Amino acid sequence: MTDHGYMQQAIALARKAKGFTSPNPCVGAVLVKDGTLVGKGFHRAAGLAHAEVEAIDNAGSKAKGATLYVTLEPCNHFGKTPPCTHKIIKAGIKKVVVGCKDPNPFVSGGGIQYLKDNGIEVITDVLEKEAKILIEEFIWYSQNDKMPFVILKCASTLDGRIATAIGDSKWITNEKSRAYAHQIRHETDAILVGSGTLHADDPSLTSRIKGVETKDPVRIILDTHLSIKETAKVITQDSNAKTIIVTGPGVSEEKKAVLERKGVQVIEIPLKGKWLDLNELMIKLGQMSILSLLIEGGSVVAGSALKAGIVNKVLFFLAPKFLGGSDGISVFEGKGPELIKDAFELKHMNVTRFDTDILVQGYLK
């Protein structure tokens, strides 16, 4: 098998922990000796052993003289665990193949150089693109002043409607599309909706995939006037993830106190025009170690997120149905650009089928 083949195995291992490792990146590793896989591992959660350590422990004495394939540059600093570079050297590994370098500008390349200085051959940037996509939220957060990586998820009919004129939206997309959306919820740190979605649907905002262990994202509700009902599912349901209500200035202190007694965190941010300032919110969420944010709000929130310039990635589901009128609710609300040249355009786009549904995804930045 080639270096690419072994790195693909390491990436597949890393994906197993996607959603469980934040604020750490998910990392996978395999050890190969004389063309035989002798050890494998992945980082399972923050505070637990890193992928390299798991793979070396799994290999035991067979690690000596082996080649280590790891999706991310081995760490060379003390954190909650000792440096992986020390473990690699002590195990007698002769060669290390790295998917991508550490994105943190303060440590990037340090682990690689330390291994080289200790006589270990190092090859870098093997399946670099795939390795970076795996931890894109960690890379963005590390290199952009601890700002969250924001994913905007939309789902519409072919004529661009997310609901009928009376607000009916169940279901535009099929079961497979919805299951994938729940997988994305699991993989992100937090999910955000507006008060309109909250009052219309009373959503759970949890991650539910049949037969699969999942993690619920932190639930964030934009509620300018603190209109949420105390009986809302995001407050009363059984979930290990917390609920955050983002509100504007001057709301009822009594209502805030009631919500806080129920375990809800209330954050006040300034308004920008008549809406909450989403850029200020991103700063606060970043300070709370929220690396990734999934926006599932309605047309007002979706339009506001685009105009605020906070969206990194778009997941746009299209169902093969249309309402055939102009009275449904559109995907985005508010004024758009006057010229096509000023339209939002996705880069690095790809298209996936979920039975009859189509998912178009790409990046805005």
Side-chain angles (χ1 to χ4, degrees):
M1 188 179 290
T2 65
D3 284 351
H4 281 201
Y6 288 123
M7 189 60 71
Q8 284 172 341
Q9 291 188 17
I11 289 172
L13 284 167
R15 282 202 185 101
K16 289 184 176 183
K18 187 77 172 176
F20 291 114
T21 63
S22 187
N24 292 353
C26 55
V27 182
V30 297
L31 271 167
V32 179
K33 188 174 184 179
D34 300 326
T36 302
L37 186 72
V38 295
K40 60 183 180 179
F42 60 94
H43 182 45
R44 298 173 186 270
L48 298 184
H50 288 189
E52 303 95 316
V53 174
E54 273 214 348
I56 292 169
D57 289 345
N58 181 240
S61 61
K62 295 178 181 178
K64 187 174 183 179
T67 296
L68 173 69
Y69 294 84
V70 60
T71 57
L72 180 65
E73 175 183 356
C75 64
N76 191 43
H77 55 275
F78 285 89
K80 291 184 178 179
T81 59
C84 289
T85 51
H86 294 191
K87 180 87 170 181
I88 292 167
I89 294 165
K90 187 176 180 180
I93 290 168
K94 68 174 184 180
K95 180 179 176 181
V96 176
V97 180
V98 176
C100 65
K101 297 181 183 70
D102 193 311
N104 186 329
F106 297 104
V107 300
S108 181
I112 291 169
Q113 190 59 51
Y114 187 79
L115 293 173
K116 288 180 177 180
D117 290 345
N118 282 272
I120 296 176
E121 180 186 356
V122 181
I123 296 176
T124 61
D125 303 334
V126 174
L127 293 187
E128 181 187 22
K129 180 181 176 182
E130 292 85 345
K132 283 184 172 181
I133 289 174
L134 183 68
I135 58 168
E136 58 189 5
E137 68 289 334
F138 180 76
I139 293 174
W140 177 263
Y141 185 83
S142 299
Q143 297 180 348
N144 291 275
D145 298 322
K146 296 186 175 181
M147 295 288 278
F149 182 84
V150 179
I151 303 169
L152 175 62
K153 178 232 162 189
C154 308
S156 82
T157 60
L158 290 177
D159 49 355
R161 296 293 185 262
I162 62 172
T164 65
I166 63 170
D168 181 46
S169 61
K170 291 184 172 53
W171 293 104
I172 288 176
T173 54
N174 62 36
E175 190 173 339
K176 284 192 175 182
S177 294
R178 297 197 300 274
Y180 182 74
H182 276 265
Q183 176 66 30
I184 300 300
R185 285 185 180 184
H186 158 74
E187 293 179 359
T188 50
D189 291 340
I191 182 171
L192 180 147
V193 300
S195 57
T197 297
L198 181 78
H199 296 314
D201 301 334
D202 191 21
S204 298
L205 302 182
T206 54
S207 177
R208 305 178 301 278
I209 306 174
K210 189 175 181 180
V212 177
E213 180 188 1
T214 57
K215 169 198 63 64
D216 289 341
V218 172
R219 296 172 291 276
I220 301 174
I221 315 298
L222 300 180
D223 190 2
T224 306
H225 305 294
L226 210 56
S227 59
I228 188 171
K229 297 177 181 178
E230 296 168 34
T231 55
K233 287 180 183 176
V234 294
I235 296 176
T236 61
Q237 69 193 351
D238 183 21
S239 173
N240 291 327
K242 65 181 177 181
T243 295
I244 299 172
I245 306 296
V246 183
T247 192
V251 296
S252 167
E253 291 297 326
E254 182 180 352
K255 180 73 174 286
K256 282 174 65 175
V258 169
L259 293 171
E260 287 168 348
R261 284 196 295 270
K262 291 180 176 291
V264 175
Q265 182 177 357
V266 181
I267 296 176
E268 183 178 311
I269 63 171
L271 300 180
K272 192 170 185 179
K274 64 178 181 177
W275 306 118
L276 295 165
D277 189 332
L278 295 183
N279 283 285
E280 285 295 320
L281 176 59
M282 294 306 107
I283 294 172
K284 285 186 177 291
L285 296 183
Q287 292 169 346
M288 297 166 61
S289 295
I290 291 177
L291 276 65
S292 56
L293 175 69
L294 175 64
I295 296 179
E296 280 197 14
S299 56
V300 173
V301 172
S304 297
L306 283 178
K307 292 175 181 63
I310 64 171
V311 178
N312 295 82
K313 187 176 185 178
V314 176
L315 304 181
F316 205 126
F317 291 89
L318 284 167
K321 57 187 75 168
F322 48 89
L323 300 183
S326 60
D327 58 343
I329 300 174
S330 62
V331 181
F332 304 106
E333 185 172 309
K335 185 176 175 58
E338 294 182 353
L339 302 175
I340 291 296
K341 72 178 182 66
D342 297 322
F344 296 96
E345 185 175 0
L346 297 181
K347 308 293 185 181
H348 309 296
M349 190 193 77
N350 64 67
V351 178
T352 310
R353 284 277 299 270
F354 291 96
D355 283 342
T356 55
D357 290 349
I358 296 172
L359 169 61
V360 177
Q361 58 181 315
Y363 297 84
L364 290 177
K365 60 180 180 178

